[in-house]
Amino acid sequence: AVNRGGPSESQAEGVTALLVDPTPHGFGEAMAELAGDEPHAREMGMAARTNAEKYDWKVHVERLDRFLDGTVHA
C-alpha cells in the first residue's frame, strides 16, 4: 500500500501491509519481498482481512447519508 493518507493510518507496516513510496520501484520491491516469502505473505493477508473487517462499509455509508441529509453536526 502507499505509505500516505489512509493506508499509513490504517495499516501496520509488515503486519497488515507493506507501506511503500508510490513509485514503480517501491511497489516492485514489495511485490518481490512477498513473492519470496509465501508464509509471510499468507500471514499478512490473513491479518489484513481481519484489519479490514474493522472498517465496516455500512457504518461509513450510514454516516455519509446522515451528513448529506444535514443531520450530522461538526
Side-chain angles (χ1 to χ4, degrees), residues 32-47:
E33 181 179 332
L34 292 174
D37 189 351
E38 185 176 343
H40 185 226
R42 288 184 182 280
E43 183 179 316
M44 188 181 299
M46 290 185 289

Side-chain angles (χ1 to χ4, degrees), residues 34 50 62:
L34 292 174
T50 299
E62 289 170 2

Side-chain angles (χ1 to χ4, degrees), residues 4-73:
R4 295 190 179 153
S8 67
E9 297 171 4
S10 64
Q11 302 304 311
E13 169 61 31
V15 178
T16 60
L18 296 178
L19 299 172
V20 300
D21 291 330
T23 64
H25 180 74
F27 280 103
E29 282 188 337
M31 291 168 56
E33 181 179 332
L34 292 174
D37 189 351
E38 185 176 343
H40 185 226
R42 288 184 182 280
E43 183 179 316
M44 188 181 299
M46 290 185 289
R49 180 180 179 106
T50 299
N51 186 56
E53 290 171 351
K54 295 189 304 187
Y55 302 96
D56 183 3
W57 183 245
K58 285 179 16 178
V59 172
H60 293 286
V61 170
E62 289 170 2
R63 184 173 181 202
L64 177 61
D65 284 345
R66 287 194 311 271
F67 176 79
L68 294 175
D69 289 340
T71 60
V72 172
H73 303 284

